[in-house]
């Protein structure tokens, strides 16, 4: 949408949109981690999608610290590669 992302420049509205999307996506990961750990680990072992998304979101400050519920120690102790 060119109103949210004009010419590749991030507007405040665009950043807000991305932060909201990131927070909602991370909630799905957090729910899976808490309520379905066996499925979460199986998918994470194959794709590392939550780990990669979490690192990306932290790098670009898309999530607030309080929104992150999967501890960093989980990624450090579960190296599948």
């Amino acid at each position: 949408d060119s109103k949210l992302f004009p010419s590749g420049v991030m507007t405040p509205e665009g950043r807000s949109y991305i932060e909201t999307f990131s927070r909602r996506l991370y909630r799905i990961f957090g729910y899976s981690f808490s309520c379905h750990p066996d499925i979460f680990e199986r998918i994470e072992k194959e794709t590392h999608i939550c780990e990669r998304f979490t690192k990306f979101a932290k790098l670009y400050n898309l999530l607030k610290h309080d929104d992150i519920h999967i501890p960093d120690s989980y990624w450090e102790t579960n190296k599948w590669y």
Side-chain angles (χ1 to χ4, degrees):
D1 185 349
S2 62
K3 290 180 184 177
L4 295 176
F5 309 107
S7 305
V9 176
M10 183 63 69
T11 64
E13 295 84 13
R15 178 145 184 101
S16 175
Y17 178 81
I18 291 174
E19 287 172 349
T20 299
F21 178 82
S22 298
R23 191 172 55 251
R24 289 178 180 175
L25 178 58
Y26 191 80
R27 282 185 193 148
I28 295 169
F29 290 134
Y31 173 80
S32 300
F33 176 79
S34 299
C35 298
H36 304 285
D38 52 329
I39 296 171
F40 178 84
E41 286 203 15
R42 182 170 41 97
I43 292 173
E44 238 352 75
K45 195 175 197 176
E46 295 173 14
T47 65
H48 308 282
I49 192 161
C50 182
E51 180 182 17
R52 291 184 292 150
F53 176 77
T54 303
K55 288 179 180 179
F56 175 82
K58 285 181 174 182
L59 179 65
Y60 292 103
N61 298 315
L62 299 176
L63 295 171
K64 295 177 184 166
H65 182 69
D66 293 341
D67 291 334
I68 298 173
H69 301 291
I70 301 172
D72 287 339
S73 60
Y74 177 80
W75 310 120
E76 294 164 6
T77 59
N78 291 298
K79 295 291 182 187
W80 297 295
Y81 44 90

